[in-house]
Amino acid sequence: MINKELELYLHIPFCKSKCKYCDFLSAPAQEDVKIFYVETLLKEIRQKSYIYKDYKVTSIFFGGGTPSILERNEIKKIMKVMYQEFTIEKDAEITIEANPGTLTYEKLNEYVMSGINRLSLGLQSTYNEELVLLGRIHTFEEFEENYDLARACGFRNINIDLMSALPRQTLETWKHTLKRIINLNPEHISAYSLIIEEGTPFFIQYQEDCKRREKGEKPIILPSEETERNMYYLTKKLLSQAGFQRYEISNYSKPGKECRHNIGYWTDKFYLGLGLGAASYIEGTRFSNTSILSNYLETDFKAYDVVELTSKESMEEFMFLGLRMICGVSMNKFYNKFHRSMEEIYGDVIQELQKDGLIQLLLKQGEKIIKLTEIGLDVSNYVLSRFIIE
């Protein structure tokens, strides 16, 4: 009997060129490599689907890299095999990530015909100067064209990725970016602050920027911490006024258009990762695929970095992933999962954070809920770190 739920993630590790901030497992590749990769991915799907015959798939997410860099017939083949091999719910949310400049009417129409019902567009900024500094391959005008094409092809659930605290970005340019995207009326907006990852071109620039700050010189790369903080507050204000509900620290949606796939990550759902380096979480065990392309293309589908989570680790993840959600986490669900009360494990931490005004306890439809306050959301990294068990 099929009664367990499963999310599927498919990794497409190819892109036209690497963005200056990106540390994802992705790189440019020749067409023959992409074709060979898709054939290998289909083999993995067929091989692993047998293990999950007792699961029903509630969401599918094509991530990357840039999944839309593949030819439309490649996505069509993948979707056909997915429906053949897995039990996919009729109302499953099926998302594909795409970069402007890689989409055509034909591709978008094929996505819709294949069953893909959600599009996630990586825009980041409406200013071409900022896009150039990021190393993006597209202009804002190309994004607008692709957005209109997606609507014309029937997409009624579109996310737009935006990024603040960019090099040379000001509060005014960020405000203008937000307003231009609000006017397009997408169903979902992901608004992240730029994170400087080691090993990226921006990391070198950031180190040079820090040296300038230490010398008392004016930094030339990134906005000040005060400006970044004001961008954060402005995001909350403008998106709320426009009818977007904040349901996670960095994610806003129109009512009923929350990303169900990502909510699964934050609420302890099982997910299977397919493709190069893809991570999985099944029945309390984490594992991943090889991150070496040549090995993967030789059909190396073994599980790597296998970790069976301890009760302590599971409790920690339940809290610091679940608390990312604006609705908070249920004390009842914590007890049902671990057979110990949240107060028993985190009583002192909860009391202290509540006293500091960083979390609040609520009773909602007979369930005890713990959630971050507005102040707690502002310092979420600190609050979430308190739920690591010493």
Side-chain angles (χ1 to χ4, degrees):
M1 181 178 176
I2 297 175
N3 54 16
K4 293 182 286 187
E5 295 186 350
L6 181 69
E7 299 189 325
L8 298 176
Y9 173 82
L10 292 92
H11 190 64
I12 309 299
F14 308 118
C15 54
K16 279 194 174 182
S17 63
K18 197 86 166 172
C19 296
K20 294 180 181 178
Y21 57 87
C22 179
D23 72 333
F24 295 153
L25 183 56
S26 61
Q30 299 294 324
E31 286 304 315
D32 59 336
V33 175
K34 296 175 192 174
I35 293 170
F36 192 20
Y37 180 86
V38 170
E39 292 304 316
T40 306
L41 179 61
L42 295 178
K43 290 178 183 177
E44 185 188 7
I45 292 169
R46 292 188 179 102
Q47 185 181 116
K48 290 186 175 178
S49 62
Y50 288 101
I51 306 171
Y52 300 97
K53 291 299 182 185
D54 294 336
Y55 291 80
K56 56 183 178 182
V57 174
T58 58
S59 70
I60 300 172
F61 197 102
F62 286 82
T66 305
S68 57
I69 203 171
L70 295 181
E71 296 298 327
R72 59 192 174 104
N73 66 303
E74 301 295 335
I75 296 295
K76 180 181 180 180
K77 282 196 289 187
I78 294 171
M79 286 299 298
K80 182 179 179 180
V81 172
M82 294 288 283
Y83 273 103
Q84 289 173 345
E85 300 297 329
F86 286 98
T87 302
I88 300 174
E89 292 276 84
K90 288 184 179 180
D91 67 341
E93 177 191 85
I94 305 177
T95 303
I96 187 167
E97 289 184 334
N99 276 346
T102 63
L103 291 171
T104 63
Y105 179 87
E106 290 76 19
K107 277 187 180 181
L108 288 162
N109 192 55
E110 190 65 71
Y111 297 164
V112 173
M113 296 295 290
S114 297
I116 296 172
N117 51 33
R118 185 173 183 272
L119 183 67
S120 183
L121 288 168
L123 171 60
Q124 317 312 346
S125 171
T126 62
Y127 282 86
N128 290 335
E129 298 86 353
E130 292 175 357
L131 294 174
V132 170
L133 288 170
L134 289 173
R136 302 293 291 174
I137 63 170
H138 60 85
T139 64
F140 177 62
E141 290 72 25
E142 287 175 310
F143 161 81
E144 287 184 301
E145 181 182 343
N146 285 179
Y147 183 85
D148 290 341
L149 282 176
R151 289 301 197 199
C153 288
F155 275 101
R156 297 294 176 262
N157 195 357
I158 298 179
N159 168 63
I160 298 175
D161 283 341
L162 298 177
M163 193 176 288
S164 62
L166 304 180
R168 301 180 189 174
Q169 189 179 54
T170 67
L171 188 61
E172 281 305 309
T173 60
W174 176 238
K175 181 178 181 180
H176 190 62
T177 284
L178 286 171
K179 286 189 171 182
R180 291 182 84 172
I181 297 309
I182 286 170
N183 288 337
L184 289 176
N185 201 32
E187 286 69 32
H188 192 286
I189 294 176
S190 297
Y192 301 100
S193 180
L194 174 65
I195 298 176
I196 307 295
E197 301 287 359
E198 191 169 352
T200 65
F202 271 176
F203 184 75
I204 298 172
Q205 292 178 322
Y206 175 70
Q207 288 181 313
E208 294 173 352
D209 210 34
C210 288
K211 291 176 183 177
R212 291 188 183 91
R213 290 180 191 274
E214 290 172 0
K215 293 178 181 177
E217 299 174 4
K218 185 178 179 180
I220 62 172
I221 299 299
L222 299 173
S224 67
E225 290 182 9
E226 180 182 359
T227 300
E228 182 177 355
R229 179 57 51 180
N230 287 334
M231 289 175 176
Y232 167 80
Y233 290 129
L234 182 66
T235 304
K236 291 197 300 180
K237 177 183 175 182
L238 292 184
L239 292 183
S240 175
Q241 290 175 347
F244 289 89
Q245 297 177 350
R246 189 186 189 195
Y247 69 95
E248 190 270 343
I249 290 174
S250 301
N251 286 276
Y252 301 77
S253 75
K254 295 295 180 67
K257 294 298 184 178
E258 300 85 356
C259 179
R260 287 155 50 191
H261 186 87
N262 284 344
I263 288 176
Y265 290 149
W266 301 316
T267 56
D268 204 40
K269 256 195 168 183
F270 301 149
Y271 56 88
L272 174 66
L274 300 161
L276 183 70
S280 302
Y281 168 65
I282 309 288
E283 308 283 0
T285 301
R286 294 198 183 282
F287 54 94
S288 61
N289 284 350
T290 177
S291 58
I292 301 172
L293 181 59
S294 59
N295 289 355
Y296 182 77
L297 294 177
E298 292 172 1
T299 63
D300 177 3
F301 303 145
K302 297 191 297 292
Y304 287 81
D305 302 319
V306 180
V307 177
E308 292 188 20
L309 297 182
T310 64
S311 178
K312 167 183 170 295
E313 291 168 334
S314 294
M315 288 177 186
E316 292 172 342
E317 291 206 358
F318 184 94
M319 296 304 294
F320 58 68
L321 288 177
L323 282 172
R324 293 187 61 88
M325 299 285 294
I326 303 303
C327 63
V329 296
S330 164
M331 288 187 167
N332 303 49
K333 288 180 180 177
F334 185 96
Y335 182 82
N336 291 338
K337 181 176 176 63
F338 302 110
H339 307 294
R340 298 175 70 180
S341 71
M342 194 182 291
E343 292 96 332
E344 178 188 350
I345 306 299
Y346 290 114
D348 292 342
V349 172
I350 291 173
Q351 190 173 19
E352 184 180 334
L353 292 173
Q354 192 176 14
K355 182 181 177 182
D356 293 339
L358 301 177
I359 62 169
Q360 57 182 319
L361 303 181
L362 303 171
L363 189 63
K364 189 175 181 180
Q365 298 178 337
E367 269 196 294
K368 291 181 180 179
I369 302 294
I370 175 175
K371 58 180 289 188
L372 301 186
T373 62
E374 283 297 317
I375 300 173
L377 286 166
D378 292 349
V379 290
S380 58
N381 286 343
Y382 164 73
V383 178
L384 301 181
S385 71
R386 294 298 311 277
F387 288 92
I388 296 175
I389 301 170
E390 294 294 336

